[in-house]
Amino acid sequence: MLRIFRRRFSSFCDYTIRTHTCDELTAKNIDEKVSIMGWLAFKRMDRFLVVRDSYGTIQAKLPQKLSSLVKDLPYESVIRIDGKVVDRGDKNRNLNMKTGEIEIEVEELEILNRSSKDIPFLPDEKSTKSHEKTRLKYRYIDLRSAKMQRSLRIRSEFVHNLRKFLVDQKKFVDVETPTLFRRTPGGAAEFVVPAPQPNLGQAYSLPQSPQQFKQLLMVGGIDRYFQIARCYRDEGSKGDRQPEFTQVDIEMSFTTQNGIMQLIEQMIVSSWPSSLSHLKPKLPFPRVKYSEVMENYGSDKPDFRIPWKIEKDEQNIFDILKTKNSTENWNARFIVCKNASEKVSNSLKKEWKRLIEMNENGRNFAICQKNHTLKSINLSEIPNFDVENDTLIVSWGESEGVNWTLGYLRNYVAELNGLRQKSEVQAHWVIDFPLFSRENGQMVSTHHPFTAPISEHQELLNDETRLEDITGQHYDLVINGVEMGGGSIRIHNSDIQKHVLQLLNEPMEEMNHLLEALSFGAPPHGGFALGLDRFVALLTSEGDPTTPVRDVIAFPKTKNGRDLMSDSPTTLDAKQIERYGIQLKS
Amino acid sequence: MLRIFRRRFSSFCDYTIRTHTCDELTAKNIDEKVSIMGWLAFKRMDRFLVVRDSYGTIQAKLPQKLSSLVKDLPYESVIRIDGKVVDRGDKNRNLNMKTGEIEIEVEELEILNRSSKDIPFLPDEKSTKSHEKTRLKYRYIDLRSAKMQRSLRIRSEFVHNLRKFLVDQKKFVDVETPTLFRRTPGGAAEFVVPAPQPNLGQAYSLPQSPQQFKQLLMVGGIDRYFQIARCYRDEGSKGDRQPEFTQVDIEMSFTTQNGIMQLIEQMIVSSWPSSLSHLKPKLPFPRVKYSEVMENYGSDKPDFRIPWKIEKDEQNIFDILKTKNSTENWNARFIVCKNASEKVSNSLKKEWKRLIEMNENGRNFAICQKNHTLKSINLSEIPNFDVENDTLIVSWGESEGVNWTLGYLRNYVAELNGLRQKSEVQAHWVIDFPLFSRENGQMVSTHHPFTAPISEHQELLNDETRLEDITGQHYDLVINGVEMGGGSIRIHNSDIQKHVLQLLNEPMEEMNHLLEALSFGAPPHGGFALGLDRFVALLTSEGDPTTPVRDVIAFPKTKNGRDLMSDSPTTLDAKQIERYGIQLKS
């Protein structure tokens, strides 16, 4: 190897035996001797090579005597080329390429690792949906693509900026908390980890979040805590979720709801990746009440980029849809989707109906467009509805389900009309959630049992008839229709926490350690958790909430929880069965 | 609350409702109105309070009318005091206290959370060994102690510095890798995680390190990777180890053994905590060969702060210890422990004998001090041995065991004489390890099967008789007698990797994905992993290698793998048993 030119040109080359990365040579370097390493991305006439590394591409020109070396060399082989930077000449310049003014006149070529010619695909090959499984199985090839390189690097940059904001500017302490923990109440969705001797017959649980530990850290005087925490959630193949995921976990003592919300929005804006600054939202993020978003958008996480709102049927135009079984809770509401002229096909309507009917809140609905109106209803009476250019969604039936149904349809129609793919980021806080909700007659926490009520409502905890009137100190961060994170001021008083757990019928013995901790000098505290995977997916897609999180995870699992690359999970072997005293039924 | 003075004085108070932390008020602040929050650490005559937070303490003086509020208030209750900063007056100044010139004249006092008077201990109470379990059970109280606050904050600082070095200066990319993975060959020591539907009957494994993933990231073109990675190791209650631990995981493409060692030593020195700069080792770290340290110190991780070396018995003084069964491999060696005059009691000798005999390498030994010499041997013949002031360790018997035995005794005698508690940090690289070793007749990897041989020895892989002569490209970082981390240049050629796995009788089907990955364009690469818990324990103890890692972990487990705070692990409940189709035998 030509070690004479081991001068370093950028810190990307520190500690390596290359002199430059493939993106950094320009006309300024003409006549320099360089050593480049990378993947063979393209070749022409066995004389012209394009070499690619993680940063870019460069062209190399082989002398005749070396061309036999590359004659049968498969693409994606790893090579080293040493040589001199030369001008390509006026005719051959490629101004679309950063290094397009020059090429390397190769003096030495070494094949560092020959690739198999049976490579299943090339990194930047246009992929079709049918290749998704292949790309996951050979994820390491897909990672070489410009798209995956960009995603992982933006993720790394965002997380690093975030740490610098929290530690350098705001004096937070990064504390690691255990992942081998104890099951939490309602913990059916927590993976278990059988313990070996001397705890044979028992198991740890992998926690869904460091919630208890972050509160215990506040009790322990780490008054400004954060952690980029690995969390685990066993929800089978529900939606676009991974069995393990990452959250930015934050907790602070002696703070308020307002304090945490300010911290989080400043953190997000300060850490915004430099290449995406055109999408950075303005501060402060608007705050809207839960009751308001439910009333106007039929969702607690509306996409505020969609300009349409739910309207009441003030003129009783839809009363004709009432049946004799309708109660006084019957109502009809509608949304005028201005300029939503994309036609909703019958098959799409059927699909939406199916999705909406899966939920107990699903109600009857109709979608009215040019040539598709609702029988016996005079649509021209609808204020501000232009049958030529707009779409009208109407839903009717009992109580809140009508708004819920409209909330979903609003998203569907917006997506069909391209509004959700718009390159724009809108962040809002949703606040003033009810502390409790009723599910199948049982009182449950709207979020989790550690959320404090607003101080004005604390007394209501003692009035069983008023529980549903209590507002909690919870706040959700909603971006482009996705709940990116949530947090709350916590209960710091042991007696109140115990009372709330009792109201909720939670098994007290599982939570004794927390109740005890609150009794030994717990400061008032609150916090937040940001879903990192989802947030970065939104960033890298420039705001598209439908981008799957696997696009920003190096080695994701499928919806079925499988790692196609290593073919995991697998059956247990004899040693494992013996060590953990474990039997699995399939 | 007196919200009039919500001015912020330091970023430690951003987003909180305090104006100052308990350490930052001095004579400069006299006459200012402030609001302080913290724990009641001390009170006198119900008029003078000491309030503590994570940063320091401050004295407050109550007016008569408020003293009833604190009369029965237990220590460690959380309070807010609003008031004016006043001079303590010449007589009452406490110059040992950062805030000792002033006190707060309290105008308003609020009890934010009353502590139970049954608190099991106070944070900075001098603790005895018998309290260890109590302190782990109520870890959140122990975390308030100055010692734990310092440890966790130094840990956070070191990790943050390290990230800034790697990302900002050296352009590394922080990539998260999965922890729900597939068992690796020899994976009996990996915890298993049973999978739910649709993978019922199968299990993931929690990896001991991201070794495979980091190599796959290199194949994927992330050519400068790092991660502060949570790892899992099921070794029961072996030594000072935790079932989950953290390593600084690093991998780089197109590098050399020298490149990685330079990176790591510069990273460590650049990230050194500011309060410990007097301990920072000089660059470069000395490099010593495995054969050399085994010869001189009888250990592959010698504590270089101990000045004593193993000497050969050139004068055959100890030949008298030979028996008729001795083979030609018999030898005797000794260490003159200069100025080690601390007496080795007979009970200690017995204990050392017991520990040494537990290992198959243990050999006969004797410890000679004033009045304790070795029968029929003239110790005055030992060069440089002063029987008045030194200790002589001698060991004899078959082959390498003699050096191994002396290596252990060297540490024991040094510890007894206070040499291992010395506040000093000495870092060395140990290099040129053999690639393979023989264990019970079977060839095993000295480190792991992914380590590359040095290029001059690559051909020897094809000569079964020469395998033990192969030097691997492995390097260990040894600090104060502890292996802090290790790394290697990896095998990047699929055929060579396959050949090595075959030599080692590893089950090939478990490693197919890696072999395949190496065949599709893997760049030459290498890396390193630093044991973070152990390293931070050494830092916070100012170099004492015997400090337990649980001192730098917020919520550690006991040697038996139990979390005493939450009483985990626990038995499975019915829901868990059903969901995972799992049965555990105890």
Short mmCIF file of all heavy atoms in Angstrom, two decimals, chain B residues 78-104:
data_model
loop_
_atom_site.label_atom_id
_atom_site.label_comp_id
_atom_site.label_asym_id
_atom_site.label_seq_id
_atom_site.Cartn_x
_atom_site.Cartn_y
_atom_site.Cartn_z
N VAL B 78 -39.96 17.48 52.36
CA VAL B 78 -39.61 18.41 51.28
C VAL B 78 -40.34 19.73 51.54
O VAL B 78 -41.55 19.74 51.78
CB VAL B 78 -40.02 17.82 49.91
CG1 VAL B 78 -39.59 18.76 48.79
CG2 VAL B 78 -39.38 16.45 49.72
N ILE B 79 -39.58 20.82 51.51
CA ILE B 79 -40.18 22.11 51.83
C ILE B 79 -39.78 23.18 50.81
O ILE B 79 -38.81 23.04 50.07
CB ILE B 79 -39.76 22.60 53.24
CG1 ILE B 79 -38.23 22.70 53.35
CG2 ILE B 79 -40.30 21.67 54.32
CD1 ILE B 79 -37.74 23.25 54.68
N ARG B 80 -40.60 24.20 50.79
CA ARG B 80 -40.27 25.40 50.03
C ARG B 80 -40.12 26.54 51.02
O ARG B 80 -40.95 26.68 51.92
CB ARG B 80 -41.38 25.73 49.05
CG ARG B 80 -41.26 27.13 48.42
CD ARG B 80 -42.36 27.40 47.39
NE ARG B 80 -43.69 27.49 47.99
CZ ARG B 80 -44.20 28.58 48.56
NH1 ARG B 80 -43.51 29.71 48.61
NH2 ARG B 80 -45.42 28.57 49.07
N ILE B 81 -39.06 27.32 50.90
CA ILE B 81 -38.98 28.52 51.72
C ILE B 81 -38.75 29.73 50.82
O ILE B 81 -37.93 29.72 49.91
CB ILE B 81 -37.84 28.45 52.78
CG1 ILE B 81 -36.52 28.03 52.14
CG2 ILE B 81 -38.18 27.52 53.92
CD1 ILE B 81 -35.35 28.13 53.10
N ASP B 82 -39.56 30.75 51.08
CA ASP B 82 -39.40 32.02 50.38
C ASP B 82 -38.89 33.01 51.41
O ASP B 82 -39.33 33.00 52.57
CB ASP B 82 -40.74 32.52 49.85
CG ASP B 82 -41.30 31.61 48.77
OD1 ASP B 82 -40.56 30.74 48.29
OD2 ASP B 82 -42.48 31.78 48.42
N GLY B 83 -37.98 33.85 51.01
CA GLY B 83 -37.50 34.83 51.97
C GLY B 83 -36.40 35.68 51.41
O GLY B 83 -36.17 35.72 50.19
N LYS B 84 -35.70 36.36 52.32
CA LYS B 84 -34.69 37.32 51.93
C LYS B 84 -33.32 36.79 52.35
O LYS B 84 -33.17 36.23 53.44
CB LYS B 84 -34.97 38.66 52.62
CG LYS B 84 -34.32 39.84 51.94
CD LYS B 84 -34.86 41.15 52.49
CE LYS B 84 -34.24 41.47 53.83
NZ LYS B 84 -34.59 42.83 54.29
N VAL B 85 -32.32 36.99 51.51
CA VAL B 85 -30.96 36.60 51.84
C VAL B 85 -30.37 37.65 52.78
O VAL B 85 -30.40 38.85 52.45
CB VAL B 85 -30.09 36.48 50.57
CG1 VAL B 85 -28.67 36.09 50.93
CG2 VAL B 85 -30.70 35.47 49.61
N VAL B 86 -29.87 37.22 53.94
CA VAL B 86 -29.26 38.17 54.88
C VAL B 86 -27.88 37.68 55.30
O VAL B 86 -27.56 36.49 55.21
CB VAL B 86 -30.15 38.36 56.15
CG1 VAL B 86 -31.51 38.96 55.79
CG2 VAL B 86 -30.31 37.04 56.90
N ASP B 87 -27.09 38.61 55.77
CA ASP B 87 -25.76 38.31 56.30
C ASP B 87 -25.95 37.56 57.62
O ASP B 87 -26.81 37.91 58.42
CB ASP B 87 -25.04 39.65 56.55
CG ASP B 87 -23.55 39.44 56.73
OD1 ASP B 87 -23.17 38.42 57.34
OD2 ASP B 87 -22.77 40.30 56.26
N ARG B 88 -25.12 36.55 57.87
CA ARG B 88 -25.25 35.83 59.13
C ARG B 88 -24.63 36.60 60.30
O ARG B 88 -24.86 36.25 61.45
CB ARG B 88 -24.51 34.48 59.05
CG ARG B 88 -25.26 33.41 58.33
CD ARG B 88 -24.74 32.04 58.77
NE ARG B 88 -25.10 31.03 57.78
CZ ARG B 88 -24.75 29.75 57.88
NH1 ARG B 88 -24.01 29.35 58.92
NH2 ARG B 88 -25.11 28.89 56.98
N GLY B 89 -23.85 37.58 59.95
CA GLY B 89 -23.13 38.29 61.01
C GLY B 89 -21.81 37.59 61.30
O GLY B 89 -21.69 36.35 61.11
N ASP B 90 -20.82 38.37 61.71
CA ASP B 90 -19.46 37.85 61.89
C ASP B 90 -19.40 36.60 62.74
O ASP B 90 -18.71 35.63 62.41
CB ASP B 90 -18.57 38.92 62.54
CG ASP B 90 -18.18 39.99 61.53
OD1 ASP B 90 -18.30 39.69 60.32
OD2 ASP B 90 -17.78 41.09 61.94
N LYS B 91 -20.14 36.58 63.81
CA LYS B 91 -20.05 35.46 64.77
C LYS B 91 -20.56 34.15 64.19
O LYS B 91 -20.12 33.08 64.57
CB LYS B 91 -20.86 35.80 66.03
CG LYS B 91 -20.06 36.63 67.04
CD LYS B 91 -20.74 36.60 68.39
CE LYS B 91 -22.05 37.38 68.31
NZ LYS B 91 -22.63 37.66 69.62
N ASN B 92 -21.55 34.24 63.28
CA ASN B 92 -22.22 33.02 62.84
C ASN B 92 -21.79 32.51 61.48
O ASN B 92 -22.34 31.52 60.99
CB ASN B 92 -23.73 33.26 62.84
CG ASN B 92 -24.22 33.61 64.23
OD1 ASN B 92 -23.83 32.97 65.21
ND2 ASN B 92 -25.04 34.66 64.33
N ARG B 93 -20.84 33.15 60.90
CA ARG B 93 -20.37 32.68 59.58
C ARG B 93 -19.79 31.27 59.67
O ARG B 93 -19.12 30.96 60.64
CB ARG B 93 -19.30 33.61 59.04
CG ARG B 93 -19.85 34.72 58.16
CD ARG B 93 -18.74 35.51 57.51
NE ARG B 93 -18.64 36.84 58.09
CZ ARG B 93 -19.53 37.80 57.88
NH1 ARG B 93 -20.58 37.59 57.11
NH2 ARG B 93 -19.38 38.99 58.44
N ASN B 94 -20.09 30.48 58.65
CA ASN B 94 -19.52 29.12 58.57
C ASN B 94 -18.73 29.03 57.27
O ASN B 94 -19.28 28.83 56.19
CB ASN B 94 -20.64 28.07 58.61
CG ASN B 94 -20.08 26.66 58.48
OD1 ASN B 94 -18.90 26.46 58.20
ND2 ASN B 94 -20.94 25.67 58.69
N LEU B 95 -17.41 29.18 57.42
CA LEU B 95 -16.60 29.27 56.20
C LEU B 95 -16.34 27.91 55.56
O LEU B 95 -15.79 27.82 54.46
CB LEU B 95 -15.30 30.03 56.49
CG LEU B 95 -15.56 31.48 56.95
CD1 LEU B 95 -14.26 32.20 57.27
CD2 LEU B 95 -16.36 32.26 55.88
N ASN B 96 -16.75 26.84 56.24
CA ASN B 96 -16.64 25.51 55.64
C ASN B 96 -17.81 25.21 54.70
O ASN B 96 -17.86 24.16 54.07
CB ASN B 96 -16.61 24.44 56.73
CG ASN B 96 -15.37 24.56 57.56
OD1 ASN B 96 -14.29 24.85 57.04
ND2 ASN B 96 -15.51 24.36 58.87
N MET B 97 -18.76 26.11 54.68
CA MET B 97 -19.98 25.87 53.91
C MET B 97 -20.01 26.90 52.79
O MET B 97 -19.75 28.09 53.03
CB MET B 97 -21.15 26.09 54.88
CG MET B 97 -22.49 25.60 54.45
SD MET B 97 -23.64 25.77 55.88
CE MET B 97 -25.20 25.59 55.00
N LYS B 98 -20.30 26.44 51.57
CA LYS B 98 -20.24 27.37 50.43
C LYS B 98 -21.19 28.55 50.65
O LYS B 98 -20.90 29.68 50.27
CB LYS B 98 -20.62 26.59 49.16
CG LYS B 98 -20.19 27.30 47.89
CD LYS B 98 -20.58 26.53 46.63
CE LYS B 98 -20.59 27.49 45.45
NZ LYS B 98 -21.36 26.96 44.32
N THR B 99 -22.33 28.28 51.26
CA THR B 99 -23.31 29.34 51.49
C THR B 99 -23.23 29.87 52.93
O THR B 99 -24.18 30.45 53.45
CB THR B 99 -24.74 28.80 51.25
OG1 THR B 99 -24.95 27.69 52.16
CG2 THR B 99 -24.94 28.31 49.84
N GLY B 100 -22.08 29.64 53.58
CA GLY B 100 -21.97 29.87 55.02
C GLY B 100 -21.91 31.32 55.47
O GLY B 100 -21.95 31.59 56.68
N GLU B 101 -21.81 32.25 54.51
CA GLU B 101 -21.80 33.65 54.92
C GLU B 101 -23.21 34.19 55.12
O GLU B 101 -23.40 35.20 55.78
CB GLU B 101 -21.11 34.49 53.85
CG GLU B 101 -19.63 34.26 53.72
CD GLU B 101 -19.06 35.13 52.61
OE1 GLU B 101 -19.32 34.82 51.42
OE2 GLU B 101 -18.38 36.11 52.94
N ILE B 102 -24.16 33.53 54.52
CA ILE B 102 -25.53 34.09 54.52
C ILE B 102 -26.52 33.07 55.07
O ILE B 102 -26.20 31.90 55.31
CB ILE B 102 -25.95 34.50 53.10
CG1 ILE B 102 -25.78 33.30 52.12
CG2 ILE B 102 -25.12 35.67 52.61
CD1 ILE B 102 -26.99 32.52 51.86
N GLU B 103 -27.73 33.54 55.28
CA GLU B 103 -28.85 32.62 55.55
C GLU B 103 -30.10 33.26 54.96
O GLU B 103 -30.07 34.42 54.53
CB GLU B 103 -28.99 32.37 57.05
CG GLU B 103 -29.31 33.60 57.87
CD GLU B 103 -29.19 33.34 59.39
OE1 GLU B 103 -28.85 32.21 59.79
OE2 GLU B 103 -29.44 34.30 60.14
N ILE B 104 -31.17 32.49 54.92
CA ILE B 104 -32.41 33.05 54.38
C ILE B 104 -33.34 33.39 55.53
O ILE B 104 -33.61 32.55 56.40
CB ILE B 104 -33.09 32.06 53.42
CG1 ILE B 104 -32.16 31.75 52.24
CG2 ILE B 104 -34.41 32.63 52.92
CD1 ILE B 104 -32.70 30.71 51.30
#
